[in-house]
Each structure stands twice: as structure tokens, then as C-alpha cells.
Amino acid sequence: MNTAPASSAAAGEPRWLTDEEQRVWRAYVDATTLLEDHLDRQLQRDAGMPHVYYGLLVKLAEAPRRRLRMTELAKDAKITRSRLSHAVARLEKNGWVRREDCPSDKRGQFAVLTDEGMGVLRRHAPGHVNAVRQAVFDRLTPEQQKSLGEIMGIVAEGLQPSEAGADLPWLR
């Protein structure tokens, strides 16, 4: 809601978005909401899992020995530890992931991608990458792709403060 020009904001008043900033913000919100829904529906239809679960399988597939500490997996996936625990429980039920205790830390656990989980990922990766390509990359020029990557990197970096006590999903 733009109720006052940014330049006329008094002390303590919000810096309202300009009309152009509002247009950009709403386009971003619309696009990310629609993109997440598009990818989630594609993966539910083709693989029987939500997009976030697919992302967890990818993170594990890329990790050494296909295993990550649960805390590291939550950080990589940018989700809360409770959401990760629920997701891993569902993936375990499907036989795609297993948990292992950490030998050096009695409270720690690893999530490990099983051979069956790797097979599911291999079968469904082509359809998912096609959905991503059609929804995003085929619509952008190489210059726009580069700009999008740079912009999203700046936004993500700014939302991940490094100081102790930062309120980040994987720390909750």
C-alpha cells in the first residue's frame, strides 16, 4: 500500500514503496507463488512428493556419501528443524532416506539417501528439470538469467545474517 511518497516520510514513518517498487514487489510475489505451486504440482503428479522433499533428496544426493547431518540439511534446505524432521520421517516411510546416529555426537543424526531414494531421484529429475526450464529459463535471455541469479544472490545473502542469535529457519 503506497500512501505517501518515499521522500515525504516523516521520522518514524514507513518508507512506503514507490509505484514502481510496488509493481516489482507484486510481480516477484506473484511469480514465486506461481512457480512454487507449478513445481509442487508437477512433482506431486509425477513423483508423489512435494517440491521441498525433492529438494531434500537432491541435497543428499549431492553430499559426500549421500549423507548430511540433520542440522546441516535444515540449513541447506532453508527450513526449520521441525519441518525437516517431519519431512525426513515421511521420506523414511517411503524407504528413500534413513537416519543414522552420529558417532561423535550422541544428540546428532545424519540423514542418508538410500539406493531406492537415489533411484526415485534419477527417475524424476528429467521431468522436474524440464518443468524448471519451461517455467523459468526458456522465458529468459542469457543476460536476464545472469541478472536474476545475481539479484537473488544479493537478496538471499542479505537475509542470512552471520551474527550469533540470528533468527533463521534452521536455527528454530
Side-chain angles (χ1 to χ4, degrees):
M1 179 168 135
N2 184 1
T3 62
S7 60
S8 69
E13 281 286 315
R15 275 184 55 217
W16 297 107
L17 299 178
T18 66
D19 290 342
E20 180 61 13
E21 289 168 336
Q22 188 70 256
R23 183 195 66 73
V24 170
W25 174 246
R26 289 183 181 181
Y28 167 81
V29 169
D30 289 350
T32 57
T33 301
L34 290 167
L35 179 60
E36 186 60 32
D37 178 70
H38 174 74
L39 297 175
D40 203 57
R41 284 183 296 112
Q42 178 269 320
L43 284 163
Q44 287 284 8
R45 180 187 66 240
D46 297 349
M49 74 176 97
H51 189 215
V52 70
Y53 290 15
Y54 180 86
L56 294 172
L57 296 181
V58 169
K59 300 272 185 215
L60 290 171
E62 293 172 344
R65 297 176 48 215
R66 299 189 325 208
R67 62 188 289 154
L68 283 172
R69 294 261 322 225
M70 291 284 284
T71 52
E72 191 65 27
L73 185 55
K75 182 179 179 181
D76 287 353
K78 312 289 188 264
I79 61 175
T80 63
R81 290 178 287 190
S82 63
R83 185 172 184 197
L84 175 66
S85 184
H86 175 75
V88 169
R90 294 287 308 271
L91 294 168
E92 279 182 302
K93 188 176 179 182
N94 290 342
W96 301 343
V97 171
R98 72 174 180 276
R99 292 183 213 218
E100 292 179 355
D101 291 332
C102 178
S104 63
D105 177 2
K106 295 202 187 279
R107 294 181 303 156
Q109 284 192 318
F110 286 96
V112 181
L113 182 65
T114 64
D115 290 342
E116 185 177 346
M118 190 67 182
V120 166
L121 192 56
R122 283 188 179 121
R123 280 193 304 279
H124 296 290
H128 179 65
V129 78
N130 188 51
V132 169
R133 182 165 296 291
Q134 288 178 343
V136 179
F137 294 99
D138 289 351
R139 298 171 187 271
L140 302 175
T141 67
E143 295 80 22
Q144 290 171 322
Q145 292 173 24
K146 182 179 180 193
S147 293
L148 180 62
E150 290 170 353
I151 291 164
M152 292 296 98
I154 291 166
V155 171
E157 183 179 320
L159 292 171
Q160 297 182 86
S162 57
E163 68 266 3
D167 185 21
L168 297 166
W170 55 92
L171 298 176
R172 289 184 228 140

mmCIF file of all heavy atoms in Angstrom, residues 32 35-44 48-58 83 128 132:
data_model
loop_
_atom_site.group_PDB
_atom_site.id
_atom_site.type_symbol
_atom_site.label_atom_id
_atom_site.label_comp_id
_atom_site.label_asym_id
_atom_site.label_seq_id
_atom_site.Cartn_x
_atom_site.Cartn_y
_atom_site.Cartn_z
ATOM 1 N N THR A 32 6.887 -15.973 -7.731
ATOM 2 C CA THR A 32 7.410 -17.022 -6.839
ATOM 3 C C THR A 32 6.294 -17.919 -6.322
ATOM 4 O O THR A 32 6.487 -19.129 -6.196
ATOM 5 C CB THR A 32 8.214 -16.417 -5.671
ATOM 6 O OG1 THR A 32 7.403 -15.494 -4.945
ATOM 7 C CG2 THR A 32 9.481 -15.759 -6.155
ATOM 8 N N LEU A 35 5.333 -20.107 -9.327
ATOM 9 C CA LEU A 35 6.412 -21.048 -9.639
ATOM 10 C C LEU A 35 6.454 -22.186 -8.623
ATOM 11 O O LEU A 35 6.550 -23.354 -9.005
ATOM 12 C CB LEU A 35 7.761 -20.328 -9.686
ATOM 13 C CG LEU A 35 8.968 -21.206 -9.990
ATOM 14 C CD1 LEU A 35 8.833 -21.883 -11.362
ATOM 15 C CD2 LEU A 35 10.247 -20.376 -9.923
ATOM 16 N N GLU A 36 6.386 -21.869 -7.352
ATOM 17 C CA GLU A 36 6.406 -22.916 -6.327
ATOM 18 C C GLU A 36 5.211 -23.851 -6.492
ATOM 19 O O GLU A 36 5.346 -25.070 -6.395
ATOM 20 C CB GLU A 36 6.436 -22.302 -4.929
ATOM 21 C CG GLU A 36 6.598 -23.311 -3.822
ATOM 22 C CD GLU A 36 7.881 -24.142 -3.891
ATOM 23 O OE1 GLU A 36 8.913 -23.639 -4.366
ATOM 24 O OE2 GLU A 36 7.838 -25.328 -3.475
ATOM 25 N N ASP A 37 4.033 -23.297 -6.771
ATOM 26 C CA ASP A 37 2.843 -24.123 -6.995
ATOM 27 C C ASP A 37 3.021 -25.008 -8.225
ATOM 28 O O ASP A 37 2.701 -26.199 -8.196
ATOM 29 C CB ASP A 37 1.611 -23.232 -7.154
ATOM 30 C CG ASP A 37 0.365 -24.045 -7.435
ATOM 31 O OD1 ASP A 37 -0.100 -24.752 -6.512
ATOM 32 O OD2 ASP A 37 -0.128 -23.999 -8.585
ATOM 33 N N HIS A 38 3.553 -24.445 -9.295
ATOM 34 C CA HIS A 38 3.773 -25.193 -10.541
ATOM 35 C C HIS A 38 4.710 -26.383 -10.306
ATOM 36 O O HIS A 38 4.423 -27.512 -10.717
ATOM 37 C CB HIS A 38 4.348 -24.244 -11.596
ATOM 38 C CG HIS A 38 4.758 -24.892 -12.869
ATOM 39 N ND1 HIS A 38 3.852 -25.345 -13.807
ATOM 40 C CD2 HIS A 38 5.989 -25.168 -13.360
ATOM 41 C CE1 HIS A 38 4.509 -25.876 -14.828
ATOM 42 N NE2 HIS A 38 5.808 -25.782 -14.592
ATOM 43 N N LEU A 39 5.830 -26.120 -9.634
ATOM 44 C CA LEU A 39 6.811 -27.185 -9.392
ATOM 45 C C LEU A 39 6.273 -28.212 -8.399
ATOM 46 O O LEU A 39 6.511 -29.416 -8.545
ATOM 47 C CB LEU A 39 8.131 -26.593 -8.903
ATOM 48 C CG LEU A 39 8.823 -25.672 -9.915
ATOM 49 C CD1 LEU A 39 10.066 -25.046 -9.297
ATOM 50 C CD2 LEU A 39 9.139 -26.400 -11.204
ATOM 51 N N ASP A 40 5.549 -27.752 -7.402
ATOM 52 C CA ASP A 40 4.974 -28.668 -6.426
ATOM 53 C C ASP A 40 3.949 -29.599 -7.083
ATOM 54 O O ASP A 40 3.955 -30.810 -6.853
ATOM 55 C CB ASP A 40 4.333 -27.875 -5.285
ATOM 56 C CG ASP A 40 4.226 -28.677 -4.008
ATOM 57 O OD1 ASP A 40 5.269 -29.160 -3.528
ATOM 58 O OD2 ASP A 40 3.099 -28.820 -3.495
ATOM 59 N N ARG A 41 3.087 -29.040 -7.922
ATOM 60 C CA ARG A 41 2.084 -29.871 -8.614
ATOM 61 C C ARG A 41 2.741 -30.870 -9.544
ATOM 62 O O ARG A 41 2.325 -32.021 -9.626
ATOM 63 C CB ARG A 41 1.082 -28.999 -9.372
ATOM 64 C CG ARG A 41 0.056 -28.349 -8.464
ATOM 65 C CD ARG A 41 -1.008 -27.530 -9.186
ATOM 66 N NE ARG A 41 -0.418 -26.391 -9.874
ATOM 67 C CZ ARG A 41 -0.368 -26.260 -11.209
ATOM 68 N NH1 ARG A 41 -0.890 -27.161 -11.994
ATOM 69 N NH2 ARG A 41 0.190 -25.189 -11.758
ATOM 70 N N GLN A 42 3.795 -30.436 -10.266
ATOM 71 C CA GLN A 42 4.495 -31.343 -11.176
ATOM 72 C C GLN A 42 5.094 -32.516 -10.403
ATOM 73 O O GLN A 42 4.959 -33.673 -10.807
ATOM 74 C CB GLN A 42 5.587 -30.580 -11.944
ATOM 75 C CG GLN A 42 6.406 -31.441 -12.891
ATOM 76 C CD GLN A 42 7.665 -32.035 -12.261
ATOM 77 O OE1 GLN A 42 8.358 -31.380 -11.493
ATOM 78 N NE2 GLN A 42 7.953 -33.281 -12.578
ATOM 79 N N LEU A 43 5.738 -32.230 -9.295
ATOM 80 C CA LEU A 43 6.375 -33.303 -8.513
ATOM 81 C C LEU A 43 5.345 -34.182 -7.803
ATOM 82 O O LEU A 43 5.535 -35.396 -7.706
ATOM 83 C CB LEU A 43 7.375 -32.722 -7.517
ATOM 84 C CG LEU A 43 8.674 -32.282 -8.176
ATOM 85 C CD1 LEU A 43 9.462 -31.353 -7.261
ATOM 86 C CD2 LEU A 43 9.517 -33.497 -8.566
ATOM 87 N N GLN A 44 4.264 -33.597 -7.333
ATOM 88 C CA GLN A 44 3.203 -34.416 -6.713
ATOM 89 C C GLN A 44 2.614 -35.371 -7.755
ATOM 90 O O GLN A 44 2.414 -36.550 -7.477
ATOM 91 C CB GLN A 44 2.093 -33.525 -6.130
ATOM 92 C CG GLN A 44 2.472 -32.797 -4.877
ATOM 93 C CD GLN A 44 2.478 -33.687 -3.645
ATOM 94 O OE1 GLN A 44 2.348 -34.906 -3.696
ATOM 95 N NE2 GLN A 44 2.683 -33.066 -2.503
ATOM 96 N N GLY A 48 4.909 -38.134 -6.643
ATOM 97 C CA GLY A 48 4.193 -38.366 -5.391
ATOM 98 C C GLY A 48 4.851 -37.697 -4.187
ATOM 99 O O GLY A 48 4.737 -38.194 -3.071
ATOM 100 N N MET A 49 5.537 -36.575 -4.430
ATOM 101 C CA MET A 49 6.167 -35.872 -3.314
ATOM 102 C C MET A 49 6.110 -34.372 -3.567
ATOM 103 O O MET A 49 6.086 -33.931 -4.716
ATOM 104 C CB MET A 49 7.617 -36.318 -3.134
ATOM 105 C CG MET A 49 8.584 -35.780 -4.185
ATOM 106 S SD MET A 49 10.287 -36.236 -3.874
ATOM 107 C CE MET A 49 10.419 -37.672 -4.932
ATOM 108 N N PRO A 50 6.114 -33.587 -2.492
ATOM 109 C CA PRO A 50 6.156 -32.137 -2.664
ATOM 110 C C PRO A 50 7.549 -31.663 -3.061
ATOM 111 O O PRO A 50 8.544 -32.375 -2.883
ATOM 112 C CB PRO A 50 5.762 -31.589 -1.288
ATOM 113 C CG PRO A 50 6.047 -32.681 -0.330
ATOM 114 C CD PRO A 50 5.930 -33.978 -1.097
ATOM 115 N N HIS A 51 7.616 -30.454 -3.559
ATOM 116 C CA HIS A 51 8.866 -29.860 -4.017
ATOM 117 C C HIS A 51 9.922 -29.845 -2.920
ATOM 118 O O HIS A 51 11.097 -30.127 -3.178
ATOM 119 C CB HIS A 51 8.578 -28.449 -4.534
ATOM 120 C CG HIS A 51 9.731 -27.813 -5.225
ATOM 121 N ND1 HIS A 51 9.976 -26.470 -5.138
ATOM 122 C CD2 HIS A 51 10.709 -28.317 -6.013
ATOM 123 C CE1 HIS A 51 11.059 -26.172 -5.840
ATOM 124 N NE2 HIS A 51 11.516 -27.279 -6.385
ATOM 125 N N VAL A 52 9.536 -29.543 -1.692
ATOM 126 C CA VAL A 52 10.521 -29.483 -0.606
ATOM 127 C C VAL A 52 11.170 -30.855 -0.382
ATOM 128 O O VAL A 52 12.372 -30.931 -0.116
ATOM 129 C CB VAL A 52 9.912 -28.908 0.699
ATOM 130 C CG1 VAL A 52 8.913 -29.856 1.338
ATOM 131 C CG2 VAL A 52 11.001 -28.531 1.677
ATOM 132 N N TYR A 53 10.423 -31.943 -0.513
ATOM 133 C CA TYR A 53 11.003 -33.281 -0.339
ATOM 134 C C TYR A 53 11.991 -33.589 -1.452
ATOM 135 O O TYR A 53 13.044 -34.162 -1.217
ATOM 136 C CB TYR A 53 9.907 -34.350 -0.323
ATOM 137 C CG TYR A 53 9.023 -34.350 0.894
ATOM 138 C CD1 TYR A 53 8.982 -33.273 1.787
ATOM 139 C CD2 TYR A 53 8.189 -35.417 1.151
ATOM 140 C CE1 TYR A 53 8.148 -33.285 2.886
ATOM 141 C CE2 TYR A 53 7.365 -35.432 2.268
ATOM 142 C CZ TYR A 53 7.341 -34.371 3.120
ATOM 143 O OH TYR A 53 6.516 -34.389 4.214
ATOM 144 N N TYR A 54 11.625 -33.209 -2.667
ATOM 145 C CA TYR A 54 12.537 -33.402 -3.799
ATOM 146 C C TYR A 54 13.844 -32.654 -3.538
ATOM 147 O O TYR A 54 14.933 -33.173 -3.765
ATOM 148 C CB TYR A 54 11.870 -32.909 -5.086
ATOM 149 C CG TYR A 54 12.735 -33.072 -6.304
ATOM 150 C CD1 TYR A 54 12.746 -34.267 -7.020
ATOM 151 C CD2 TYR A 54 13.554 -32.034 -6.743
ATOM 152 C CE1 TYR A 54 13.546 -34.408 -8.146
ATOM 153 C CE2 TYR A 54 14.356 -32.180 -7.866
ATOM 154 C CZ TYR A 54 14.343 -33.366 -8.558
ATOM 155 O OH TYR A 54 15.149 -33.513 -9.668
ATOM 156 N N GLY A 55 13.731 -31.428 -3.058
ATOM 157 C CA GLY A 55 14.917 -30.641 -2.743
ATOM 158 C C GLY A 55 15.803 -31.312 -1.709
ATOM 159 O O GLY A 55 17.038 -31.268 -1.810
ATOM 160 N N LEU A 56 15.204 -31.953 -0.724
ATOM 161 C CA LEU A 56 15.984 -32.680 0.290
ATOM 162 C C LEU A 56 16.726 -33.854 -0.341
ATOM 163 O O LEU A 56 17.905 -34.089 -0.027
ATOM 164 C CB LEU A 56 15.074 -33.163 1.420
ATOM 165 C CG LEU A 56 14.432 -32.070 2.266
ATOM 166 C CD1 LEU A 56 13.410 -32.670 3.219
ATOM 167 C CD2 LEU A 56 15.471 -31.247 3.002
ATOM 168 N N LEU A 57 16.047 -34.581 -1.217
ATOM 169 C CA LEU A 57 16.711 -35.706 -1.892
ATOM 170 C C LEU A 57 17.886 -35.211 -2.729
ATOM 171 O O LEU A 57 18.950 -35.843 -2.750
ATOM 172 C CB LEU A 57 15.709 -36.468 -2.766
ATOM 173 C CG LEU A 57 14.547 -37.160 -2.056
ATOM 174 C CD1 LEU A 57 13.659 -37.881 -3.076
ATOM 175 C CD2 LEU A 57 15.019 -38.118 -0.982
ATOM 176 N N VAL A 58 17.726 -34.083 -3.407
ATOM 177 C CA VAL A 58 18.812 -33.513 -4.209
ATOM 178 C C VAL A 58 19.992 -33.141 -3.315
ATOM 179 O O VAL A 58 21.144 -33.461 -3.629
ATOM 180 C CB VAL A 58 18.327 -32.287 -5.022
ATOM 181 C CG1 VAL A 58 19.495 -31.530 -5.632
ATOM 182 C CG2 VAL A 58 17.343 -32.730 -6.106
ATOM 183 N N ARG A 83 10.265 -28.916 10.679
ATOM 184 C CA ARG A 83 9.757 -29.247 9.335
ATOM 185 C C ARG A 83 10.632 -30.317 8.691
ATOM 186 O O ARG A 83 10.143 -31.230 8.034
ATOM 187 C CB ARG A 83 9.706 -27.996 8.464
ATOM 188 C CG ARG A 83 9.085 -28.257 7.104
ATOM 189 C CD ARG A 83 8.857 -26.999 6.323
ATOM 190 N NE ARG A 83 8.179 -27.307 5.070
ATOM 191 C CZ ARG A 83 8.135 -26.492 4.043
ATOM 192 N NH1 ARG A 83 8.696 -25.304 4.111
ATOM 193 N NH2 ARG A 83 7.516 -26.837 2.939
ATOM 194 N N HIS A 128 11.400 -32.946 -13.689
ATOM 195 C CA HIS A 128 11.490 -31.743 -12.868
ATOM 196 C C HIS A 128 12.334 -30.677 -13.558
ATOM 197 O O HIS A 128 11.942 -29.512 -13.622
ATOM 198 C CB HIS A 128 12.054 -32.080 -11.488
ATOM 199 C CG HIS A 128 12.190 -30.881 -10.618
ATOM 200 N ND1 HIS A 128 11.098 -30.165 -10.178
ATOM 201 C CD2 HIS A 128 13.279 -30.253 -10.126
ATOM 202 C CE1 HIS A 128 11.515 -29.147 -9.444
ATOM 203 N NE2 HIS A 128 12.831 -29.180 -9.395
ATOM 204 N N VAL A 132 11.258 -26.855 -14.641
ATOM 205 C CA VAL A 132 12.018 -25.654 -14.266
ATOM 206 C C VAL A 132 12.446 -24.894 -15.524
ATOM 207 O O VAL A 132 12.291 -23.675 -15.609
ATOM 208 C CB VAL A 132 13.255 -26.018 -13.412
ATOM 209 C CG1 VAL A 132 14.183 -24.831 -13.241
ATOM 210 C CG2 VAL A 132 12.822 -26.576 -12.059
#
